[in-house]
Amino acid sequence: MSSLRNAVHRRNHKERSQPLNRQKFGLLEKKKDYIARARDYHSKQDRLKAMREKAAFRNPDEFYFKMINTKTKDGVHLTERNEKFSHDFLKLLNTQDLNYVTQQRDVGRKRIERMQQGLVLLDDDVHDEFAEEEDEDMMGSSSKTIQKPKNHIVFVDNEEEVKKFDPAKHFDTAPELVHRKFNRPRTSQLKKDLTISHLDKADIKAATKERERALGELASRMEREETMAKLESEMTLRKNLMLKGRKKKVGVDKDGLAKYKWKADRKK
């Protein structure tokens, strides 16, 4: 019988529409629409009631430091940290995700390392300049970079070997290349590689131009790496500030921004 009942055509009941003389009011409201509208109205009334109670029972002597450390401009809440950054930096800060910034910074750091390994034909001064910039603290530390002495220590057995020690013979290279910390070919390599002395001016000029281009790209990538490091540090700090836990301001960094220290929380 059930199959027969389903086979018989039954009338489709349609919802009542808005009368023609009330078309200007839009669709006719049904009970489910009224329930949604009523719930929204009452939730707003409850929030307004709670705010009125807070205002009524407010302590007039209440004070906390955010009252004087923050301000609003044209209805927009401003923070002390935002005033220290540029517009482009704040745009990145508000639009990028922390995981994405960390990933892009890792990719850029690896690219810088590959470029530095490829620029082995640079002189000592240029190489040390970029190596010193790489060793700087990218997290906003105020301490200056300590330049390491350029020493290569060779251990010998006695004083007689110290007097007879020949660096060129020890490193098996030309005396003019002993001072180098990198790109120090051996004597056998210098004898085999005779093509360098036969390069024409066009090749030398092209190589110099390519080196300058690579240096410019490396400098721009290192500048971007510094910006990404600062961005990652700021995003991590703001994320930690929104978490629970007691903290206190311990000072300012080189950019004048506050540094915080969290109290150790014993885990149960």
Side-chain angles (χ1 to χ4, degrees), residues 167-193:
K169 183 178 180 181
H170 177 79
F171 294 114
D172 191 18
T173 185
E176 296 81 3
L177 305 178
V178 171
H179 68 283
R180 289 191 176 184
K181 297 173 58 178
F182 66 99
N183 190 27
R184 187 165 53 198
R186 298 182 180 273
T187 306
S188 58
Q189 294 175 343
L190 293 175
K191 292 179 179 179
K192 293 179 181 179
D193 193 7

Side-chain angles (χ1 to χ4, degrees), residues 8 16 39 79 107 111 119 125 140 149 242-243 245 255:
V8 177
R16 178 186 172 191
R39 287 177 178 173
T79 59
V107 172
R111 176 63 177 172
L119 294 173
D125 295 336
M242 291 188 293
L243 300 178
D255 297 324

Side-chain angles (χ1 to χ4, degrees), residues 13-258:
H13 294 276
K14 298 181 180 180
E15 292 184 350
R16 178 186 172 191
S17 61
Q18 186 75 277
L20 293 178
N21 60 341
R22 294 178 57 85
Q23 290 289 339
K24 60 182 180 179
F25 298 111
L27 297 176
L28 181 65
E29 185 181 48
K30 306 301 187 297
K31 183 177 181 180
K32 60 181 180 180
D33 302 326
Y34 163 76
I35 292 175
R37 183 169 59 87
R39 287 177 178 173
D40 179 67
Y41 171 79
H42 286 294
S43 66
K44 292 178 181 178
Q45 291 297 319
D46 293 340
R47 281 181 284 175
L48 289 174
K49 181 180 178 182
M51 288 190 286
R52 291 192 188 99
E53 290 180 355
K54 287 185 178 180
F57 294 104
R58 183 181 67 87
N59 181 10
D61 298 329
E62 180 182 4
F63 173 79
Y64 53 96
F65 286 100
K66 284 292 183 180
M67 292 180 177
I68 58 177
N69 292 338
T70 58
K71 59 183 178 179
T72 57
K73 182 178 181 181
D74 298 333
V76 179
H77 184 75
L78 301 178
T79 59
E80 179 184 358
R81 304 187 70 86
N82 289 345
E83 299 177 355
K84 303 291 184 178
F85 300 122
S86 62
H87 176 72
D88 296 336
F89 187 87
L90 290 176
K91 185 177 179 181
L92 281 174
L93 187 65
N94 296 328
T95 56
Q96 301 299 333
D97 182 65
L98 178 59
N99 296 330
Y100 174 78
V101 172
T102 304
Q103 178 189 10
Q104 291 298 316
R105 188 188 174 197
D106 293 338
V107 172
R109 190 187 300 110
K110 293 179 181 178
R111 176 63 177 172
I112 290 175
E113 292 177 358
R114 289 196 300 267
M115 292 185 65
Q116 287 180 341
Q117 293 175 0
L119 294 173
V120 295
L121 296 179
L122 299 176
D123 52 41
D124 288 344
D125 295 336
V126 177
H127 181 273
D128 291 341
E129 179 182 350
F130 286 103
E132 182 177 321
E133 291 182 8
E134 182 188 14
D135 293 338
E136 288 184 356
D137 187 10
M138 297 298 182
M139 302 303 293
S141 170
S142 60
S143 60
K144 298 183 179 179
T145 305
I146 301 176
Q147 186 175 3
K148 299 179 180 179
K150 303 177 182 178
N151 295 331
H152 190 142
I153 301 176
V154 179
F155 295 93
V156 294
D157 295 333
N158 48 48
E159 294 289 340
E160 185 178 355
E161 292 185 11
V162 174
K163 297 178 181 179
K164 296 181 179 180
F165 180 76
D166 185 6
K169 183 178 180 181
H170 177 79
F171 294 114
D172 191 18
T173 185
E176 296 81 3
L177 305 178
V178 171
H179 68 283
R180 289 191 176 184
K181 297 173 58 178
F182 66 99
N183 190 27
R184 187 165 53 198
R186 298 182 180 273
T187 306
S188 58
Q189 294 175 343
L190 293 175
K191 292 179 179 179
K192 293 179 181 179
D193 193 7
L194 301 177
T195 58
I196 300 179
S197 59
H198 298 287
L199 294 176
D200 54 4
K201 294 184 178 180
D203 294 337
I204 296 177
K205 185 176 181 180
T208 304
K209 187 175 182 179
E210 178 65 19
R211 185 183 66 175
E212 293 177 355
R213 184 201 64 80
L215 281 174
E217 181 181 356
L218 180 60
S220 62
R221 286 186 177 274
M222 295 192 71
E223 183 179 356
R224 182 176 182 272
E225 158 67 17
E226 184 178 355
T227 303
M228 296 293 285
K230 186 186 297 184
L231 179 63
E232 181 183 6
S233 175
E234 182 65 21
M235 293 179 72
T236 304
L237 178 60
R238 294 197 177 193
K239 181 179 179 180
N240 294 334
L241 288 175
M242 291 188 293
L243 300 178
K244 295 181 180 180
R246 295 180 59 184
K247 58 183 178 296
K248 65 177 180 179
K249 183 177 178 182
V250 295
V252 296
D253 56 9
K254 63 179 182 180
D255 297 324
L257 299 176

